[in-house]
Amino acid sequence: MSNSPGRRASFRPQQDETLQKGKKRSVDFYIVSRLLGYIKPYRTLVAWAIAITIAGSFLGPLRPYLTKIAIDDYIAHGNLKGLTVISIFLAGAILLDGIKQFITTWMTQIIGQKAVLDIRMDIFRHLQKLPARFYDRNPIGRLITRTTGDVESLNEMLSSGIITILGDLLQLFFIVVLMAWIDWQLTLIVLSILPLMIWATIAFKNRVRIAFQDVLTHQARLNTFFQEHLTGMSIVQLFNREEREGRKYASINADHRDANIRTVLYFSIYYPLIETLSSAAAGLVIWYSGVRLLKADLSIGVVISFVQYIWLFFRPLQHLSDRFNVIQTAIASSDRIIRLLDEKEGIEEPAGKREIECFKESIAFKNVWFAYESENWILKDISFTIRHGEKIAIVGATGSGKTTLINILSRLYPFAKGSVSIDSIELSDIAEHSVRKLIGVVMQDVFLFSGTIRENLAFGKPDVTDEEMREAARIVGADRFIDQLPGGYQYRVLENGTGLSSGQKQLIAFVRALLYNPEILVLDEATSSVDTETESLIDAATARLMSERTSIIIAHRLSTVQKADRIIVLHKGVIRESGNHQELLAKRGLYYKLYLLQHPEQTLHIGENGAPA
């Protein structure tokens, strides 16, 4: 937009404000339309709840009118029979109103709970489809807030918001109609307070929305900090950071407290203001009624019914303000949830995506470039081929891009330039699940889910039999420690395997991979955190496992890759060398230097051809 001076520049702030308001309204409409989509499957239940709300909305306003009839038509004339009849009608109205409230409350709560269940399931399914990049930039605590606090705000609106607002509005309509029917002058006095209440409600609504957005933002920060520090509590304690991290938490907690206090301030102003206005309306009605009573221009029944109507009239207005508060909180939460659901999912699947049943020929990387951010390249012009049945090792210093290659092959991250293919089929043309069905990865940091040992072992193959599981555990050598655990395979694993050693978790990961039975086995530093005895068990198991399938070994420790058919040496994202162990030693290049760093005692024992002298 031009910044030229003159009338256009002077008009711009107003124009921008109009655009902002228009954008705000369109965003709110979009949010509401998305939320209604979750209620649509339960439209029959919603229709019944609305119908009962509409049918019963006159019952509350009817009670003061029946009170007026009882006083003016029967008590004033000593008509006991008529008083008994009207009392029965009054009791019936009270009873029916109670039944109506029970049914609508039950129905709306059912609708809310069903819709919230669907929302939570959509969020969880969506989170499982989001790419790894999304989790790199979004703290887990923030995502937990989306599925707990934000969804709970929606539950309150869906279960007690919209239909209750309809009931309150209808109740206000019947109250005004009946008041006007009884006495239009007193009705005008009551309604004279309404503009002030509307102004107060609008001002309150706008400020509370901003305040609740702040509360939700600080709540997400609080959850993120808390989750991270519980997970990393051992690091906090080892580095004596308890007091300093406590001060950080106190600061975040104070921000959350202050945001909540701001909302409390608005409520503490609003509710007394509404109460004062309603009391002022009651005072005006009583004063004016007294004047007319002295002139014999008004009956006692009318005065008593109007006093009742005043409290009935302002009660739905207060309810509406509460509902506005609920809705504002829910809209703020909905905005966050919908932005999460609108996050672009993983690599887009082409229309004719391919399915691969098995791996037959080769995996080819051709001139592949990759960067996590802009052009800060992690991999640079990478080209190599892995033939079926070949055992490949990838070595290099930390940060050289070894694990990134596997992330690309597993389609966790898309590469920027180049080509990756499996059996001459472009990786982007193959369905994600089909690629991942071929690949089994055993990582350095093993993650175990809360549940039994059996559930963790069968994670990739839920239909595995007990016999197959025990045989796989025996091959890997994990059966020894599993059988000694209380309950054996039914032993309950705590969060992320707390209570098991690193070696035991690693063995479980090997059994899990063996049961998954992948055609391409990836060992990503899989033996770096185990002791010598456990490593010997794993070496024996993996030798048997890798003899029948294509294998990719990523390692720092060169002792684990010496038997590989081919070793690829990465350095700063570039392939520097390639060959088997003896060939690379004979070149006396980078691999040779890495080998000597790890085996300094071998310096004088390596011949010119790479073999021990």
Side-chain angles (χ1 to χ4, degrees):
M1 186 177 288
S2 173
N3 291 326
S4 59
R7 292 180 61 188
R8 286 179 70 184
S10 63
F11 178 71
R12 183 176 175 181
Q14 183 180 354
Q15 186 181 44
D16 287 348
E17 185 178 349
T18 304
L19 289 172
Q20 287 274 357
K21 290 180 179 178
K23 185 179 179 181
K24 173 70 172 53
R25 284 194 295 268
S26 64
V27 169
D28 284 355
F29 178 78
Y30 174 68
I31 290 172
V32 170
S33 65
R34 287 286 294 270
L35 292 179
L36 289 177
Y38 286 101
I39 298 179
K40 189 176 180 180
Y42 314 108
R43 52 185 175 270
T44 302
L45 199 58
V46 172
W48 274 106
I50 291 174
I52 293 171
T53 298
I54 293 173
S57 58
F58 71 94
L59 292 170
L62 185 63
R63 296 202 300 268
Y65 184 72
L66 293 176
T67 301
K68 172 200 169 293
I69 294 174
I71 294 171
D72 290 347
D73 294 353
Y74 300 117
I75 294 176
H77 297 90
N79 187 340
L80 182 60
K81 183 178 179 181
L83 179 62
T84 303
V85 172
I86 202 69
S87 296
I88 292 172
F89 274 108
L90 184 59
I94 294 171
L95 178 63
L96 289 175
D97 192 33
I99 294 172
K100 182 265 296 184
Q101 290 183 34
F102 166 76
I103 294 174
T104 54
T105 301
W106 180 79
M107 285 186 169
T108 52
Q109 289 292 333
I110 292 295
I111 293 166
Q113 292 297 331
K114 287 178 178 291
V116 163
L117 172 66
D118 294 341
I119 292 170
R120 281 204 176 102
M121 289 307 302
D122 276 1
I123 292 173
F124 186 74
R125 292 191 192 101
H126 186 65
L127 286 172
Q128 293 184 96
K129 296 176 183 177
L130 291 176
R133 287 183 185 273
F134 173 81
Y135 295 97
D136 292 340
R137 66 177 189 268
N138 286 279
I140 300 301
R142 183 186 300 169
L143 300 178
I144 291 173
T145 303
R146 297 292 173 273
T147 57
T148 53
D150 287 340
V151 171
E152 204 52 46
S153 297
L154 283 184
N155 174 38
E156 194 172 353
M157 185 190 75
L158 294 173
S159 61
S160 62
I162 299 172
I163 294 176
T164 307
I165 286 175
L166 174 63
D168 289 335
L169 290 173
L170 286 171
Q171 193 173 20
L172 280 172
F173 171 76
F174 284 118
I175 288 171
V176 173
V177 168
L178 288 172
M179 284 196 304
W181 177 266
I182 295 171
D183 191 289
W184 65 271
Q185 296 179 46
L186 293 177
T187 302
L188 289 178
I189 290 175
V190 174
L191 294 179
S192 66
I193 304 295
L194 195 57
L196 287 173
M197 296 193 68
I198 292 174
W199 171 83
T201 301
I202 291 174
F204 165 80
K205 177 178 73 71
N206 293 335
R207 285 165 175 77
V208 162
R209 175 170 188 164
I210 296 171
F212 268 103
Q213 286 176 335
D214 286 343
V215 168
L216 292 172
T217 299
H218 291 302
Q219 181 68 53
R221 287 183 61 209
L222 201 66
N223 288 348
T224 299
F225 187 92
F226 200 75
Q227 184 268 334
E228 287 178 350
H229 282 70
L230 284 181
T231 303
M233 187 57 69
S234 59
I235 303 298
V236 173
Q237 293 171 345
L238 286 171
F239 284 90
N240 291 319
R241 294 275 300 193
E242 293 92 341
E243 290 188 11
R244 189 171 297 181
E245 298 307 305
R247 287 195 294 271
K248 285 185 181 180
Y249 184 70
S251 175
I252 297 172
N253 214 355
D255 290 339
H256 182 252
R257 175 204 62 203
D258 294 341
N260 275 289
I261 287 175
R262 281 193 291 275
T263 65
V264 172
L265 174 64
Y266 295 138
F267 281 111
S268 63
I269 294 172
Y270 178 74
Y271 284 121
L273 180 60
I274 296 298
E275 193 70 29
T276 302
L277 291 174
S278 60
S279 298
L284 287 173
V285 166
I286 291 171
W287 173 79
Y288 188 64
S289 298
V291 173
R292 291 178 61 184
L293 281 171
L294 293 174
K295 295 178 180 180
D297 187 31
L298 198 66
S299 68
I300 294 294
V302 171
V303 176
I304 293 175
S305 66
F306 255 83
V307 170
Q308 291 180 324
Y309 272 127
I310 287 171
W311 302 118
L312 278 179
F313 180 77
F314 288 109
R315 188 187 303 163
L317 287 176
Q318 288 182 330
H319 287 171
L320 285 172
S321 68
D322 289 341
R323 299 297 174 259
F324 276 127
N325 168 35
V326 169
I327 289 174
Q328 293 305 315
T329 306
I331 290 293
S333 297
S334 302
D335 185 31
R336 295 162 176 266
I337 290 171
I338 289 171
R339 274 190 282 131
L340 173 60
L341 291 173
D342 286 345
E343 279 281 347
K344 189 176 180 181
E345 293 181 356
I347 304 169
E348 290 188 7
E349 300 281 356
K353 57 187 177 183
R354 303 277 297 272
E355 297 282 345
I356 294 184
E357 295 299 327
C358 59
F359 172 51
K360 299 177 181 178
E361 299 173 7
S362 64
I363 300 167
F365 281 71
K366 296 180 181 178
N367 309 113
V368 173
W369 292 70
F370 175 84
Y372 289 103
E373 294 181 3
S374 63
E375 294 190 358
N376 183 21
W377 300 110
I378 304 299
L379 298 177
K380 307 168 189 176
D381 200 24
I382 296 294
S383 297
F384 66 91
T385 301
I386 303 173
R387 295 181 295 275
H388 180 268
E390 192 175 14
K391 183 166 69 173
I392 294 293
I394 302 174
V395 301
T398 300
S400 59
K402 305 184 298 297
T403 300
T404 302
L405 287 172
I406 303 306
N407 289 337
I408 291 173
L409 181 61
S410 303
R411 294 196 63 182
L412 291 176
Y413 289 91
F415 52 91
K417 295 186 285 186
S419 168
V420 180
S421 62
I422 298 177
D423 290 344
S424 301
I425 304 171
E426 281 295 322
L427 193 64
S428 59
D429 293 334
I430 307 172
E432 278 186 1
H433 71 272
S434 186
V435 172
R436 292 169 185 168
K437 186 173 64 176
L438 298 175
I439 302 171
V441 181
V442 180
M443 306 187 75
Q444 176 181 358
D445 297 322
V446 179
F447 186 90
L448 299 181
F449 293 91
S450 299
T452 64
I453 292 284
R454 190 190 196 288
E455 289 168 346
N456 275 279
L457 293 177
F459 191 77
K461 189 179 179 182
D463 58 346
V464 65
T465 64
D466 290 342
E467 291 74 17
E468 290 173 330
M469 183 174 295
R470 290 181 180 279
E471 175 61 17
R474 187 192 62 76
I475 291 172
V476 173
D479 57 330
R480 302 179 188 178
F481 85 87
I482 293 176
D483 289 336
Q484 293 176 2
L485 293 172
Y489 289 84
Q490 296 304 315
Y491 174 77
R492 303 254 354 145
V493 177
L494 301 178
E495 183 181 358
N496 198 19
T498 302
L500 297 176
S501 70
S502 298
Q504 289 172 332
K505 290 194 288 185
Q506 202 77 61
L507 288 169
I508 289 173
F510 269 86
V511 178
R512 186 162 60 187
L514 182 60
L515 289 171
Y516 192 56
N517 195 28
E519 297 197 31
I520 302 167
L521 178 67
V522 178
L523 305 179
D524 188 354
E525 301 287 357
T527 62
S528 63
S529 61
V530 299
D531 54 43
T532 305
E533 182 181 357
T534 304
E535 184 177 358
S536 64
L537 288 173
I538 292 175
D539 284 344
T542 52
R544 177 176 175 180
L545 188 59
M546 291 189 295
S547 64
E548 301 175 3
R549 51 174 54 83
T550 306
S551 304
I552 304 172
I553 306 168
I554 294 174
H556 283 101
R557 289 155 59 174
L558 303 187
S559 59
T560 62
V561 303
Q562 294 181 20
K563 296 180 180 180
D565 299 324
R566 185 155 44 99
I567 301 169
I568 295 171
V569 183
L570 277 179
H571 182 66
K572 295 183 178 180
V574 178
I575 295 179
R576 293 285 298 272
E577 297 173 346
S578 179
N580 62 36
H581 177 66
Q582 300 299 334
E583 291 170 348
L584 292 177
L585 286 179
K587 288 181 179 179
R588 295 182 176 266
L590 183 59
Y591 182 84
Y592 176 79
K593 293 177 182 178
L594 292 173
Y595 184 80
L596 293 185
L597 284 173
Q598 295 183 20
H599 302 86
E601 73 282 356
Q602 297 290 331
T603 304
L604 301 176
H605 304 287
I606 299 176
E608 291 296 328
N609 62 353

